[in-house]
Amino acid sequence: MLNQSLDLAFQALSDATRRDIVARLAGGPLSVSELAKPLPMSLPAVLQHLSVLENAGLVVSAKSGRVRTCRLEPSAIAQAEQWLTAQRGEWERRLDRLAEYLNSPEGDAT
Amino acid sequence: MLNQSLDLAFQALSDATRRDIVARLAGGPLSVSELAKPLPMSLPAVLQHLSVLENAGLVVSAKSGRVRTCRLEPSAIAQAEQWLTAQRGEWERRLDRLAEYLNSPEGDAT
DNA sequence: GCGATAGTAAAGCATATGCTTAACCAATCG
DNA sequence: CGATTGGTTAAGCATATGCTTTACTATCGC
């Protein structure tokens, strides 16, 4: 499959809990337990969400002593963003060309 | 849940078949069977993918006679795009401020 | 009307997802 | 050392997802 990484990125972002994690990491790196504190679920559940995000390349983490610190990886996010921009952009260019055609003399149903 | 629509949009885009459908619709509206023709699966399966995309607001369709024509809905795509831009943007602004601080006189470990 | 074409509906099934609890390991702290 | 804090692993479970096949309806062209 081409673009399996987009599969993983979009799949990771399809969950509100994981988007919340991403949004909070956008404000700066956090440890696992800091991430888990406000979330209404067990710590292992949060770990599973983090592993989905890491697997998708959206988040990277490193362990120092006994605390694992997580931070955002913007390049994977940018990749998903660019795919969306490309599709919407293409479609909007099409609509523009259509409008242009309809406003041109040959476009009129004269 | 806030932003359930983002759930649906990202979830819809997490499947390669559905992204293929979106990409082809970006080139212009297509009927259900035109969409289904190149896909390696049964027609009902394609219908299910389309219903996911419509449910997410990414695609709209209308039936005329016996043919249903599908087209892209850019506003839902733009919403997902904007969410991504916001998170990545926030993180990159943070990094910029950090770099600025490290380059300033007070940032030096003199 | 009759057959082909375009789409729908329903049921079933294998696998994936999002949690839980229980048990466990490893770095601190007193 | 022993208790606590921070994280990890494994197993189990309910529900969701992505297909399939079968059967059925609605429209178009002759």
Side-chain angles (χ1 to χ4, degrees), chain B residues 4 11 22 25 47-48 55 57 63 69 79 86 95 99 102 104:
Chain B
Q4 173 135 10
Q11 216 282 324
V22 166
L25 288 179
L47 258 291
Q48 284 168 29
N55 222 294
K63 200 167 178 178
T69 304
Q79 199 191 347
L95 292 183
L102 291 178
S104 73

Side-chain angles (χ1 to χ4, degrees), chain B residues 26-38:
Chain B
L30 291 170
S31 73
V32 170
S33 35
E34 284 170 329
L35 282 170
K37 195 163 300 175

Side-chain angles (χ1 to χ4, degrees), chain B residues 94-108:
Chain B
R94 255 192 67 88
L95 292 183
D96 286 352
R97 283 197 300 273
L98 177 61
E100 203 175 320
Y101 169 75
L102 291 178
N103 287 330
S104 73
E106 320 92 75
D108 288 336

Side-chain angles (χ1 to χ4, degrees), chain A residues 7-16 18-19 52-53 56 58, chain B residues 14:
Chain A
D7 271 59
L8 295 174
F10 283 127
Q11 216 282 326
L13 293 168
S14 72
D15 183 276
R18 287 191 293 260
R19 282 201 308 280
V52 171
L53 287 167
L58 296 164
Chain B
S14 72

Side-chain angles (χ1 to χ4, degrees), chain B residues 18 42 48-49 65-66:
Chain B
R18 287 192 292 262
S42 69
Q48 284 168 29
H49 282 303
R66 61 181 166 174

